[in-house]
Amino acid sequence: MTNKVYGMHHIGITVPNIEEGIAFFKAVFGAVEVFRTGPFDVDQDFMTKKIGAAPQSTIRDLVFLRCGAGTSVELFEYSGEEETPHKRPSEVGGVHMCFEVEDVHASVERLRAQGIELLEGPNLITEGPLKGFDWIYLRSSWGLLLEVASFDKLGYEDTSEERLWRAKTA
């Protein structure tokens, strides 16, 4: 038996409304809907013991999206759980996803035109291992923190033989 890791298959995100989530990822990242499951018919033991959810919760819908050439995005809509605010990136369990784009500046113009909430930027890193990384954070309509970035080469590549995975191929 081997323990070879091929790479990240998908990132799962719980959204308050599946249609809103799909529309957001399509509009912002050009996502393509690959398939959806509809409601799950499972019991409380499944919810708690197999996926770590609250026992009274149910899965209303699940959809897989393809976003460019990278990791797929899996959206869940649950019921039966109180809505809590997203964690800040400085809090344990805080998270964000970064999408590599051709030109972060062009993306910012498109996102602003769509009324997407953008944090300050784009921001170009000019030294260190991330030298050349041009990025900006944005928020989904339900508060999820996301990032778009573009770069040709990063500073670490001058001193390391290892390379990060790239959505953009040479």
Side-chain angles (χ1 to χ4, degrees), residues 1-95:
M1 186 163 105
T2 180
N3 192 25
K4 183 176 181 178
V5 176
Y6 294 110
M8 188 174 298
H9 182 265
H10 70 272
I11 296 169
I13 303 168
T14 300
V15 297
N17 177 288
I18 201 91
E19 299 305 330
E20 178 185 356
I22 293 167
F24 177 84
F25 277 91
K26 283 183 174 182
V28 174
F29 300 112
V32 175
E33 185 175 329
V34 178
F35 71 89
R36 62 195 309 169
T37 64
F40 278 43
D41 184 19
V42 295
D43 62 16
Q44 290 185 342
D45 279 345
F46 179 94
M47 296 304 287
T48 58
K49 293 179 181 178
K50 296 193 186 264
I51 60 175
Q56 75 279 6
S57 64
T58 60
I59 299 172
R60 287 185 176 164
D61 206 351
L62 175 156
V63 63
F64 265 91
L65 306 173
R66 188 182 72 243
C67 299
T71 301
S72 297
V73 174
E74 176 188 30
L75 300 180
F76 285 93
E77 181 183 332
Y78 285 85
S79 64
E81 182 78 78
E82 286 187 34
E83 211 173 299
T84 57
H86 289 281
K87 292 184 175 238
R88 290 183 299 274
S90 55
E91 294 180 273
V92 173
V95 66

Side-chain angles (χ1 to χ4, degrees), residues 72-160:
S72 297
V73 174
E74 176 188 30
L75 300 180
F76 285 93
E77 181 183 332
Y78 285 85
S79 64
E81 182 78 78
E82 286 187 34
E83 211 173 299
T84 57
H86 289 281
K87 292 184 175 238
R88 290 183 299 274
S90 55
E91 294 180 273
V92 173
V95 66
H96 78 274
M97 294 186 312
C98 179
F99 288 83
E100 186 176 350
V101 297
E102 182 177 18
D103 179 346
V104 72
H105 296 271
S107 292
V108 164
E109 288 181 30
R110 182 178 56 80
L111 295 170
R112 278 197 181 113
Q114 291 178 276
I116 302 297
E117 179 188 350
L118 299 166
L119 279 67
E120 190 172 287
N123 309 282
L124 176 63
I125 300 175
T126 59
E127 57 186 46
L130 284 171
K131 179 181 178 180
F133 196 72
D134 209 356
W135 60 278
I136 190 168
Y137 277 19
L138 61 126
R139 287 200 190 278
S140 71
S141 52
W142 61 93
L144 178 65
L145 194 60
L146 300 154
E147 178 182 14
V148 290
S150 59
F151 56 97
D152 291 320
K153 180 183 175 190
L154 297 178
Y156 83 91
E157 295 177 30
D158 294 335
T159 59
S160 175

